Amino acid sequence: MIEKLFVKIYEEAFQKNWELPAITNYNNGKSLTTGEFARDVAKVHLLLETLNIKQQEKVTLIANDCAEWCIAWMGIVTYGAIAVPILPDFHATDIINIINHSDSKVVFADTIHQKFLTKEAIPHVPATIDLVSLGVIKELSHSKESVDINLSELMQQRYPKGFTRNDIQYPAIHNSEVALINYTSGTSGFSKGVLITHNNLAANMFFSIGEEIMLKKETLLCFLPNAHAYSCTFNFLLPLASGTHIYILGLKPTPKVLISALKEVKPGIILSVPLVLEKMYKSIIHPTISKNPIRTLLHIPILRTIVKRTIRKKLITNFGGNLKEMIIGGAALNDEVGNFLHSIKFPLVIGYGMTECAPLITYTNHRKGYVKGSCGRPMKGFEEVRIANAKNIDGEMVGEIQVRGENVCNGYYKEEQLTNELFTNDGWMHTGDLGTFDKGCNLFIKGRSKSMLLGPDGQNIYPEKIEAQVSLLPYVLENIVVQRNTRIVAVVVPDFTALKRDGITNDDEIEAVMNNNRHIVNEQLPIYERISQFEIRKEEFEKTPKQSIKRYLVK
């Protein structure tokens, strides 16, 4: 157990960074200093206290990302209650089920999500709280009739001389206590409530602060959902602890919107999922380096360096000009994309984690020996990582990645059997991922054990590896590789917009294009991995909020 309390990280950081800008809603310009943020956190404390919420009772948070979401989360957790953040893209039925399953006593919600939070749907929740105004909505009615709680008067009574930095005094919540129940959005099809403790969050914070991932007075643009563990920890908790100014996008992160926002915010660090980089590579970089004269110049040693330096400079300019590191997490990055970006010395690292570890498992700063293609090294001093039941595959000892340490969760809420299945008999947590270590203890992910396929002669086939190659083929929007009997099949969603632009609209023509793609990719694959068919799908795959395809839905 970590000695220093998680809540004290923020008590100290808020006092120290009182005058610094803390958080800004990019879409509407609302901005708060650290002192103003801490003051609004105190309002949440008073509200929960007035509603007679006790420590370790559950409070749901359902809203689109904004500064107010962060205030509510921090208010709930530093009060001593348990936050239940729900991804805003979840279906209404799932949101209702999670609120009821979690036994939440109060729900913080924005106006969009208030519409279906009726008394009949969540009968055991006495009231919802409007996220922006912090007004209590009586009996979940749509009349917006407020219960008689005047926060301004309560703040005046509690802090008659005004709220000051010396008033930031959080209760000494032991690190063993549960801080939040994070309902997963994984690709397996079942949402489980992960019990994350203050200790799990503290392990992530103390490791990351020690790595100096973020620095005081830097800026950061948050465009991933904060209800997800990855974004919550590194787009919200870490920058607040570090004195980094957070800009929350609050808009759909289309390439056009992102590029515009990045140029304005000029972040020092960017956290992203692979999809953003892969789209940029496929639409901008790959077409450029595939054409003459650039392709020719890249084969001339002296000129190659100049061309790569130019491409790197242009990329960093598109990301705002101040980028010192981009961290990719949430899924595997395409090898071709990663290899090229490293070849031009773009400051890119891949991290690895999961909700059950709040979320970090491995990471190495690019200035501290990050190894290309790896996911970094384990968090030294906070956890152990091992490769279990390893087998020699193509000269590498590959097995399941298992973890134990300060970052590992308590299991799943109300799911004793699933909790028992999460851990081995000797106390290590199953990740369900396959990987291998090199001699420097750098972790290399090979795929999900559940999605691994078996070749005709017993070869292990990692579909993610094949999918990465297929995704870079012309006119491929997205794909999933599956096994039907003994045949390897790629279920492909074509880029119909690009096909139409190039005058390819007939079904037979599209099929011919995809068949040609199949021949191209098969030339790059060993015989046992070759694709027997490109099955064309007209609708995009259903995805989780972090843009992973729900593989279990693809038959």
Side-chain angles (χ1 to χ4, degrees), residues 153-213:
E153 286 184 7
L154 290 175
M155 287 292 287
Q156 177 63 32
Q157 291 169 13
R158 183 65 58 90
Y159 309 104
K161 295 182 180 180
F163 187 82
T164 70
R165 71 175 80 203
N166 294 326
D167 292 313
I168 305 172
Q169 301 290 332
Y170 297 146
I173 306 160
H174 196 267
N175 278 348
S176 62
E177 298 284 7
V178 174
L180 66 150
I181 302 177
N182 237 357
Y183 282 82
T184 62
S185 60
T187 58
S188 62
F190 176 67
S191 190
K192 299 166 293 212
V194 183
L195 294 164
I196 302 294
T197 67
H198 285 252
N199 199 64
N200 302 151
L201 295 170
N204 275 264
M205 286 304 101
F206 287 124
F207 171 79
S208 302
I209 290 168
E211 289 292 301
E212 296 184 329
I213 295 175

Side-chain angles (χ1 to χ4, degrees), residues 99-289:
I99 292 171
N100 290 324
H101 182 269
S102 68
D103 303 311
S104 288
K105 299 294 184 182
V106 173
V107 177
F108 283 80
D110 58 14
T111 53
I112 295 172
H113 294 88
Q114 287 169 21
K115 294 174 183 177
F116 51 80
L117 299 180
T118 64
K119 185 176 182 180
E120 293 72 28
I122 45 176
H124 303 295
V125 179
T128 58
I129 298 171
D130 182 79
L131 188 73
V132 175
S133 69
L134 296 183
V136 180
I137 305 167
K138 186 177 181 181
E139 294 184 344
L140 302 164
S141 69
H142 297 304
S143 65
K144 306 289 171 68
E145 181 185 351
S146 294
V147 174
D148 189 19
I149 297 177
N150 190 318
L151 274 180
S152 297
E153 286 184 7
L154 290 175
M155 287 292 287
Q156 177 63 32
Q157 291 169 13
R158 183 65 58 90
Y159 309 104
K161 295 182 180 180
F163 187 82
T164 70
R165 71 175 80 203
N166 294 326
D167 292 313
I168 305 172
Q169 301 290 332
Y170 297 146
I173 306 160
H174 196 267
N175 278 348
S176 62
E177 298 284 7
V178 174
L180 66 150
I181 302 177
N182 237 357
Y183 282 82
T184 62
S185 60
T187 58
S188 62
F190 176 67
S191 190
K192 299 166 293 212
V194 183
L195 294 164
I196 302 294
T197 67
H198 285 252
N199 199 64
N200 302 151
L201 295 170
N204 275 264
M205 286 304 101
F206 287 124
F207 171 79
S208 302
I209 290 168
E211 289 292 301
E212 296 184 329
I213 295 175
M214 295 178 193
L215 300 176
K216 184 180 285 192
K217 298 184 180 181
E218 283 187 334
T219 55
L220 173 144
L221 180 68
C222 171
F223 52 88
L224 301 177
N226 276 336
H228 193 278
Y230 173 42
S231 187
C232 183
T233 299
F234 295 106
N235 273 330
F236 165 42
L237 296 179
L238 181 57
L240 265 186
S242 305
T244 301
H245 185 181
I246 308 163
Y247 285 82
I248 296 184
L249 184 64
L251 302 167
K252 188 175 180 179
T254 63
K256 184 178 179 180
V257 168
L258 267 183
I259 289 173
S260 176
L262 289 166
K263 286 182 177 179
E264 187 175 340
V265 173
K266 303 183 187 306
I269 191 163
I270 296 174
L271 284 97
S272 182
V273 290
L275 191 64
V276 175
L277 264 186
E278 288 169 356
K279 280 187 174 180
M280 182 171 286
Y281 179 85
K282 187 173 180 179
S283 62
I284 300 172
I285 300 172
H286 189 264
T288 301
I289 63 177

Side-chain angles (χ1 to χ4, degrees), residues 328-381:
I328 297 294
L333 180 67
N334 181 283
D335 282 344
E336 181 178 332
V337 177
N339 289 337
F340 178 79
L341 291 173
H342 284 296
S343 78
I344 65 172
K345 298 183 178 178
F346 185 77
L348 171 73
V349 300
I350 313 296
Y352 167 62
M354 56 193 300
T355 303
E356 286 82 351
C357 290
L360 197 59
I361 296 175
T362 58
Y363 162 84
T364 300
N365 193 298
H366 84 283
R367 302 187 304 274
K368 298 182 180 181
Y370 173 76
V371 174
K372 180 184 73 172
S374 78
C375 293
R377 297 185 286 273
M379 298 192 294
K380 188 176 181 180

Side-chain angles (χ1 to χ4, degrees), residues 42-54 59 72 75-77 79-81 106 108 129 151:
K43 289 181 182 179
V44 175
H45 289 181
L46 282 175
L47 189 55
L48 295 174
E49 181 184 308
T50 305
L51 291 170
N52 200 31
I53 299 301
K54 298 176 177 61
V59 179
I76 295 164
V77 173
Y79 177 82
V106 173
F108 283 80
I129 298 171
L151 274 180

Side-chain angles (χ1 to χ4, degrees), residues 315-482:
L315 260 182
I316 290 176
T317 299
N318 281 335
F319 287 123
N322 289 334
L323 183 64
K324 68 176 186 181
E325 183 170 272
M326 175 175 276
I327 302 174
I328 297 294
L333 180 67
N334 181 283
D335 282 344
E336 181 178 332
V337 177
N339 289 337
F340 178 79
L341 291 173
H342 284 296
S343 78
I344 65 172
K345 298 183 178 178
F346 185 77
L348 171 73
V349 300
I350 313 296
Y352 167 62
M354 56 193 300
T355 303
E356 286 82 351
C357 290
L360 197 59
I361 296 175
T362 58
Y363 162 84
T364 300
N365 193 298
H366 84 283
R367 302 187 304 274
K368 298 182 180 181
Y370 173 76
V371 174
K372 180 184 73 172
S374 78
C375 293
R377 297 185 286 273
M379 298 192 294
K380 188 176 181 180
F382 295 97
E383 66 167 351
E384 298 173 90
V385 181
R386 73 180 182 186
I387 303 298
N389 305 315
K391 297 178 181 178
N392 191 322
I393 300 175
D394 298 328
E396 297 179 316
M397 297 305 293
V398 177
E400 188 197 16
I401 302 163
Q402 297 180 354
V403 187
R404 72 178 178 186
E406 308 289 1
N407 56 331
V408 176
C409 72
N410 282 0
Y412 303 113
Y413 187 53
K414 295 182 179 177
E415 296 288 353
E416 184 178 354
Q417 182 177 339
L418 289 176
T419 296
N420 291 336
E421 291 172 359
L422 180 63
F423 298 98
T424 65
N425 291 333
D426 56 347
W428 292 73
M429 189 194 80
H430 293 288
T431 67
D433 292 320
L434 299 172
T436 184
F437 278 119
D438 68 6
K439 292 180 180 179
C441 207
N442 298 288
L443 181 66
F444 292 79
I445 306 293
K446 295 300 179 181
R448 289 287 296 172
S449 59
K450 289 182 180 179
S451 61
M452 190 178 72
L453 310 175
L454 202 62
D457 296 317
Q459 305 97 328
N460 292 317
I461 299 172
Y462 305 111
E464 297 92 344
K465 173 188 167 188
I466 303 173
E467 289 159 6
Q469 290 176 266
V470 173
S471 69
L472 292 177
L473 293 168
Y475 305 114
V476 172
L477 186 65
E478 53 190 25
N479 75 101
I480 280 285
V481 169
V482 298

